[in-house]
Amino acid sequence: MSWLEYLGIGLSQALSLSTLWFCFLGVMLGMIVGVLPGIGAVAAIALLLPYTYELNPTDALVMLAGVYYGSAYGGSIASILLNLPGTPSSAVACLDGYPMAQQGRAGVALFITTIGSFVGATIGILLLMGFAPVITRFALDFRPADYFSMMLLGLIAASTISSATPLKGIAMVILGILIGMIGTDVNSGTARYSLGFHELTDGIGIVAIAMGLFGITEVIASARQTGTAQLHASQISFRSMWPNREDWRRSWMPMVRGSWIGSFFGALPGTGGTISAFMAYALEKRVSRSPERFGRGAIEGVAAPEAANNACDQTAFIPTLTLGVPGSVTMALMLGALMIHGIAPGPNLIVEKPELFWGLIMSFWVGNLMLLVLNIPLIGIWIRLVTVPYHLLYPAVILLVCIGVYSLQNSVFDVAVALACGLVGYLFRLLELPPAPLLLGFVLGPMMEEYLRRALVLSDGEFSVFVTRPVSGGFLAVSALLLVWAAVSTMRRVSTRRIA
Amino acid sequence: MPEHPIEGRKDLWTGLFLLGVGLVFSIYGWREYPMGTLADMGPGMFPVMLGLLLAAIGVLILVAALMRGQFAGLGVDWRVLFSITAGILAFILTIERFGVAVAVVSLTVLASLANHRLSFGRSIVLGGVLTIAVMLIFVYGLGIPVRLLAWNLS
């Protein structure tokens, strides 16, 4: 099958009526979720998971993905207008976006973030289209030992790179894997850790955990917060949005640079939109001829991070779709959605389901175009949304969680499980334990155990197979390096604290 | 006086928690499930090993916290915790017995106790609005089999 034929399949799938509709639904929901401070893409995707059961897998993924990258467009609106990020990765946009709003240039800032987001997404999608088939071809030769080591690397990277305390990140991964063990062990048929609850013999559902850990916990942690900050620009006319020549000249290179940075960090497990955005900002400040403008309304400080976080959202699909290794919580949820539909993620996905793979990728083009076109005319709606007070919002969020989880199997037990996860999640937050690695461990753990056992059976119990196979050995070596680096930086921090 | 960093002051609890959970998983697994050998792993091997690893990390964090010597309490926000838990429990107990209206309103009223901005009267109104929304979107739109009002004490 030639490359062009694949694009054709993908395009015809993406432009089919049902997929188009779900793409639109997804990106609109994504925008709303991005604009509203207090709900992020993670919670939204977790909330939508149960409702995607009825859909065909392509439509389900297209919609969820739309929520994901759509939220990156909306998040900066709150940052610019309220100095309050709508999504974590839009936090950087506050630094120069809010000052721009204070100077009466909110419209320009909003416009440039939209353009920057689109540019970032474009470059990200192109890289995705280019690299995905290459990586998949390489990965098709993987054996169980290689898969195990690859997933191990993914987990270690995800838990150590962006965590303040890598040790806690690793602990949470392990805890996640352990929770994933609850249920029936495939090899022996034993029901593990089900404590006599027959509802648990299939394990804890990813929906219940995701909703509880990221939905309920979030609400418990922020329920107290009140009110909305003062809106700096309630009326934004079309005329005021168009940037002048100076703005364009200043923004286009930051957009390109930001896109590359975002693409790089997106493909790496463990790093995501927030880091991409910060790095892009830092880079622009460093290469700028007048860095003192940053923090006071420099348009580069808005264009680059937005391009970065959108590019990141697209390339994050590379490891997820080609290798089946999620680099972040949202990607883990996407994998969860795939598995719910009975599709095994991994290098075989592109071979067995090309219409899903390419249809999804083509839908990214469609979705981003929709966002580009719809963002500007609907700006009034988005602005009004930004001012919804949190104390009206959070009961609705809890309700969505309860109804969503209940509707999976008409079971209140599931809701109770979600509640338990929410309470435990609150405990995690108090203990400063990061929840994201837990979800990654939960999703990958059972598969890793499977591969470990299979690899050992194939090698007759010889553990050396993990290092003698070059691919596996390579992954393990990098994992070991990451662990060493994490240990060293932790010890360095401990000793500087001691000195202080 | 040197600045003590805020991060890590609760690690005493964190370490204890991880140690405890790790031990629970590994001891329970050891006693209940056959371990097998490394070459031919039984259902117990992986969880027990992981549980021990988790417990070990818990010990590391615990020891580091003890050596550091500054401890802080957990800082639980009991009011929020209780109100949201109560709300969700109310939903769980009433959705099948008394229907959507009762479940949604009780969830809303109880959950809004967490935030002082929402008075009792307003929360009932919000509950009513949400009930209507739920009926429209989920029951008529998505076909979830729950009733608006019911009386099932079985």
Side-chain angles (χ1 to χ4, degrees):
Chain A
M1 270 254 185
S2 86
W3 206 67
L4 220 49
E5 284 170 331
Y6 279 132
L7 288 194
I9 292 180
L11 215 47
S12 67
Q13 172 74 62
L15 293 178
S16 70
L17 225 50
S18 79
T19 312
L20 262 183
W21 164 246
F22 284 109
C23 185
F24 176 73
L25 201 56
V27 299
M28 281 297 113
L29 284 173
M31 269 300 292
I32 294 175
V33 157
V35 168
L36 287 172
I39 286 205
V42 175
I45 293 181
L47 284 173
L48 284 173
L49 270 182
Y51 307 112
T52 61
Y53 275 25
E54 304 293 310
L55 309 175
N56 80 58
T58 313
D59 290 345
L61 279 184
V62 164
M63 182 173 78
L64 294 178
V67 173
Y68 177 53
Y69 58 80
S71 66
Y73 276 80
S76 49
I77 297 188
S79 306
I80 295 173
L81 293 179
L82 293 179
N83 208 22
L84 232 177
T87 57
S89 58
S90 315
V92 191
C94 293
L95 295 173
D96 277 88
Y98 190 62
M100 279 183 78
Q102 287 174 314
Q103 293 159 18
R105 305 233 297 151
V108 175
L110 292 172
F111 192 83
I112 288 287
T113 53
T114 307
I115 302 285
S117 301
F118 186 72
V119 169
T122 306
I123 295 186
I125 299 176
L126 286 171
L127 287 171
L128 173 61
M129 284 167 58
F131 276 107
V134 173
I135 296 182
T136 317
R137 210 167 302 143
F138 175 60
L140 277 171
D141 288 329
F142 281 6
R143 312 269 68 189
D146 304 318
Y147 279 112
F148 175 81
S149 306
M150 174 180 75
M151 290 180 173
L152 185 66
L153 173 60
L155 285 180
I156 292 186
S159 56
T160 55
I161 293 185
S162 47
S163 193
T165 0
L167 199 56
K168 288 185 182 175
I170 294 179
M172 289 303 270
V173 166
I174 297 178
L175 186 54
I177 300 180
L178 282 172
I179 297 182
M181 309 258 100
I182 299 179
T184 310
D185 169 38
V186 188
N187 278 16
S188 62
T190 336
R192 291 190 289 195
Y193 298 108
S194 56
L195 300 175
F197 285 113
H198 71 89
E199 294 96 335
L200 283 181
T201 49
D202 269 332
I204 297 186
I206 184 173
V207 177
I209 286 205
M211 295 256 221
L213 206 53
F214 295 98
I216 298 183
T217 304
E218 187 62 41
V219 171
I220 297 182
S222 12
R224 273 227 195 242
Q225 95 194 26
T226 56
T228 49
Q230 274 309 6
L231 195 53
H232 237 278
S234 42
Q235 286 291 8
I236 296 195
S237 71
F238 283 149
R239 189 75 59 78
S240 76
M241 292 183 82
W242 192 262
N244 59 42
R245 185 167 301 177
E246 178 70 18
D247 295 325
W248 283 116
R249 190 182 64 80
R250 282 232 172 96
S251 319
W252 78 274
M253 270 313 286
M255 285 186 197
V256 172
R257 284 192 285 259
S259 304
W260 285 108
I261 293 186
S263 300
F264 174 69
F265 282 110
L268 283 185
T271 53
T274 321
I275 294 195
S276 309
F278 269 105
M279 291 289 209
Y281 187 85
L283 178 69
E284 286 313 309
K285 199 165 173 187
R286 192 158 299 186
V287 304
S288 168
R289 289 204 198 124
S290 42
E292 68 284 350
R293 287 182 301 113
F294 280 75
R296 304 232 188 98
I299 200 161
E300 301 93 311
V302 163
E306 283 306 302
N309 71 26
N310 279 73
C312 171
D313 284 347
Q314 305 299 156
T315 55
F317 279 96
I318 295 182
T320 313
L321 291 179
T322 60
L323 301 172
V325 174
S328 66
V329 175
T330 353
M331 287 297 123
L333 290 174
M334 297 279 171
L335 279 188
L338 273 175
M339 296 197 283
I340 284 175
H341 282 99
I343 300 179
N348 287 306
L349 182 68
I350 192 178
V351 174
E352 286 166 18
K353 298 224 160 231
E355 72 285 352
L356 173 75
F357 185 88
W358 291 104
L360 183 62
I361 295 184
M362 288 294 120
S363 77
F364 293 165
W365 286 115
V366 175
N368 275 289
L369 270 169
M370 282 184 192
L371 284 164
L372 180 68
V373 166
L374 290 172
N375 231 317
I376 316 290
L378 297 180
I379 195 75
I381 300 185
W382 308 131
I383 294 180
R384 207 147 306 142
L385 265 184
V386 152
T387 54
V388 169
Y390 193 67
H391 60 266
L392 290 180
L393 193 58
Y394 80 84
V397 173
I398 304 181
L399 182 59
L400 271 175
V401 169
C402 291
I403 296 262
V405 174
Y406 176 77
S407 65
L408 284 177
Q409 299 178 88
N410 279 349
S411 153
V412 286
F413 183 84
D414 291 343
V415 185
V417 170
L419 173 60
C421 293
L423 293 174
V424 174
Y426 183 56
L427 179 63
F428 289 155
R429 202 175 275 227
L430 293 176
L431 293 174
E432 291 157 358
L433 288 170
L438 185 141
L439 195 71
L440 290 175
F442 175 77
V443 170
L444 286 182
M447 282 194 276
M448 283 178 68
E449 184 187 19
E450 186 57 37
Y451 284 126
L452 180 68
R453 278 160 129 171
R454 220 187 283 173
L456 286 174
V457 164
L458 284 176
S459 70
D460 285 327
E462 273 297 327
F463 269 93
S464 61
V465 68
F466 290 105
V467 279
T468 51
R469 276 192 61 84
V471 174
S472 171
F475 285 136
L476 286 182
V478 178
S479 308
L481 278 172
L482 277 176
L483 284 173
V484 167
W485 171 78
V488 164
S489 58
T490 315
M491 282 196 290
R492 214 188 301 147
R493 211 175 335 118
V494 168
S495 55
T496 46
R497 239 189 256 148
R498 283 279 200 74
I499 295 174
Chain B
M1 261 309 249
E3 270 262 4
H4 290 297
I6 301 192
E7 170 209 319
R9 287 220 300 242
K10 296 183 187 172
D11 279 0
L12 176 68
W13 310 111
T14 313
L16 280 172
F17 174 74
L18 293 175
L19 175 61
V21 172
L23 284 178
V24 164
F25 267 101
S26 46
I27 295 180
Y28 188 85
W30 188 308
R31 291 174 52 165
E32 296 287 319
Y33 313 118
M35 295 271 285
T37 63
L38 276 182
D40 181 17
M41 292 187 173
M45 176 68 82
F46 208 53
V48 168
M49 291 285 127
L50 285 178
L52 290 175
L53 193 51
L54 187 61
I57 295 184
V59 167
L60 280 175
I61 296 182
L62 184 59
V63 165
L66 288 172
M67 290 202 317
R68 218 178 295 132
Q70 326 124 29
F71 309 118
L74 274 181
V76 180
D77 190 336
W78 295 107
R79 173 172 165 174
V80 172
L81 196 62
F82 278 138
S83 46
I84 294 189
T85 307
I88 301 184
L89 280 176
F91 180 91
I92 290 178
L93 292 171
T94 58
I95 179 85
E96 285 177 340
R97 293 203 182 91
F98 301 121
V100 171
V102 175
V104 172
V105 172
S106 43
L107 178 139
T108 313
V109 169
L110 286 169
S112 37
L113 289 175
N115 188 310
H116 61 91
R117 281 281 298 260
L118 211 51
S119 68
F120 185 71
R122 292 233 187 99
S123 62
I124 299 222
V125 173
L126 181 60
V129 170
L130 289 176
T131 305
I132 299 178
V134 166
M135 289 306 290
L136 284 176
I137 303 178
F138 294 103
V139 182
Y140 293 134
L142 292 175
I144 296 180
V146 282
R147 308 182 42 131
L148 176 63
L149 284 171
W151 190 260
N152 274 333
L153 290 171
S154 50

